[in-house]
Amino acid sequence: MENPQFFKNQEDVPKGAKIVDAFPGALHELFFIEHPQFKKNMPEAQEPLQQFLKNHTIKDIWVYYPWNNIAVRIPEEETYTKLRTARNRNLITEEEQERYRNAKIGVAGLSVGSAIVEAIVMTGGSKVLKIADFDTVEISNLNRIKAKLIDVGLNKIRVTAHGVWGLDPFADLYLFESGITMESLENFITKEPKLDIFIDEMDNLEMKILAREVCKKVGIPVLMATDNGDSVILDVERFDREPN
């Protein structure tokens, strides 16, 4: 699967790509985030804003998405991540946000799991993600997987990965397109990068049990949400704190 490509200059972007320049707007946003005493409609903000725009040292980067031939100009990763998580400030601390960003999370099963992946990425979570599913998108999946009609027939991994990179082009994804099997289960959980959290959205009951046995052995917490008729089961296994 093709990853996003990064270029320092617009001249290096493949010819014919649609160009989206998000950099100027990002600088405006950054000014007001870093200077909360000003509001966008305040006349007294205009002079310091113009000084900031004139003197800033923020570097830009071009992100090219080969699957839809679009290139977007954005700030480099640190600033982009700061912008994307700016509205989290009153919800979690900077330290918590950093821990959340650095957590290595694995999600097995991408029907319900695709919504979990989306929520993690949307809120500035895990840069390193392992995702696993062997199946393709079907019309009946469209009530729970973040996909479009034009995605029907594509692997769920591909659709989910494109969604992740659309929000966070810097995400480091490990893709298990054959899903979780007896042979790949331990690698998915323990092989570098070793998971900090395993999220189980698999349908196979045997694999659910085996996954917990592996996580218990190495002290990795497990989360699972699943439907049970007209109710929901939420399972939290803190093998990191309660190995027994």
Side-chain angles (χ1 to χ4, degrees):
M1 183 186 300
E2 291 182 290
N3 295 23
Q5 299 170 18
F6 298 93
F7 301 101
K8 290 185 177 180
N9 303 301
Q10 185 176 353
E11 294 74 24
D12 299 324
V13 172
K15 303 298 182 186
K18 178 182 177 181
I19 299 298
V20 177
D21 191 354
F23 188 68
L27 292 178
H28 277 76
E29 280 192 287
L30 185 63
F31 170 80
F32 288 104
I33 288 167
E34 292 185 343
H35 301 83
Q37 69 272 30
F38 296 121
K39 303 300 179 187
K40 292 182 180 180
N41 58 351
M42 292 172 60
E44 56 267 37
Q46 293 311 303
E47 183 177 343
L49 169 62
Q50 294 308 314
Q51 286 297 317
F52 174 82
L53 296 176
K54 180 180 178 181
N55 299 320
H56 78 85
T57 58
I58 307 299
K59 294 181 180 178
D60 62 343
I61 192 170
W62 287 89
V63 182
Y64 175 65
Y65 295 100
W67 53 89
N68 55 17
N69 198 31
I70 295 176
V72 188
R73 183 184 176 220
I74 59 172
E76 44 73 38
E77 181 178 0
E78 183 178 352
T79 302
Y80 179 73
T81 303
K82 181 178 182 177
L83 283 167
R84 278 218 317 117
T85 59
R87 301 294 184 252
N88 293 357
R89 284 184 175 183
N90 294 330
L91 302 175
I92 59 177
T93 66
E94 248 182 76
E95 180 187 358
E96 289 167 335
Q97 183 73 66
E98 187 175 355
R99 287 173 57 201
Y100 184 31
R101 176 71 172 163
N102 292 331
K104 301 173 183 67
I105 300 176
V107 181
L110 293 178
S111 289
V112 172
S114 69
I116 295 171
V117 171
E118 182 188 18
I120 290 170
V121 177
M122 188 183 300
T123 52
S126 182
K127 178 177 178 177
V128 176
L129 277 167
K130 292 183 178 180
I131 55 177
D133 202 300
F134 67 90
D135 210 355
T136 57
V137 177
E138 298 174 337
I139 291 176
S140 60
N141 298 141
L142 297 180
N143 73 327
R144 60 193 181 279
I145 186 170
K146 186 68 178 292
K148 308 176 189 67
L149 190 54
I150 59 174
D151 297 321
V152 169
L154 296 179
N155 189 292
K156 291 177 182 177
I157 284 276
R158 179 181 298 272
V159 174
T160 303
H162 286 176
V164 170
W165 282 321
L167 288 169
D168 183 4
F170 306 102
D172 190 6
L173 301 185
Y174 292 77
L175 310 177
F176 286 67
E177 296 188 58
S178 298
I180 296 293
T181 64
M182 295 282 193
E183 294 73 28
S184 66
L185 174 63
E186 194 147 351
N187 279 349
F188 183 86
I189 295 171
T190 65
K191 186 178 179 180
E192 289 300 326
K194 179 184 173 184
L195 296 182
D196 296 309
I197 302 168
F198 176 70
I199 298 178
D200 166 27
E201 296 300 335
M202 298 180 289
D203 295 327
N204 187 306
L205 183 59
E206 182 180 15
M207 294 306 298
K208 287 177 176 291
I209 295 170
L210 292 175
R212 280 160 177 74
E213 290 179 351
V214 173
C215 289
K216 179 177 179 178
K217 181 173 66 176
V218 294
I220 294 174
V222 178
L223 298 174
M224 181 194 73
T226 189
D227 62 283
N228 180 28
D230 60 355
S231 62
V232 173
I233 298 172
L234 176 65
D235 183 35
V236 181
E237 303 281 3
R238 292 305 304 263
F239 294 126
D240 56 328
R241 295 183 178 179
E242 301 171 351
N244 295 320

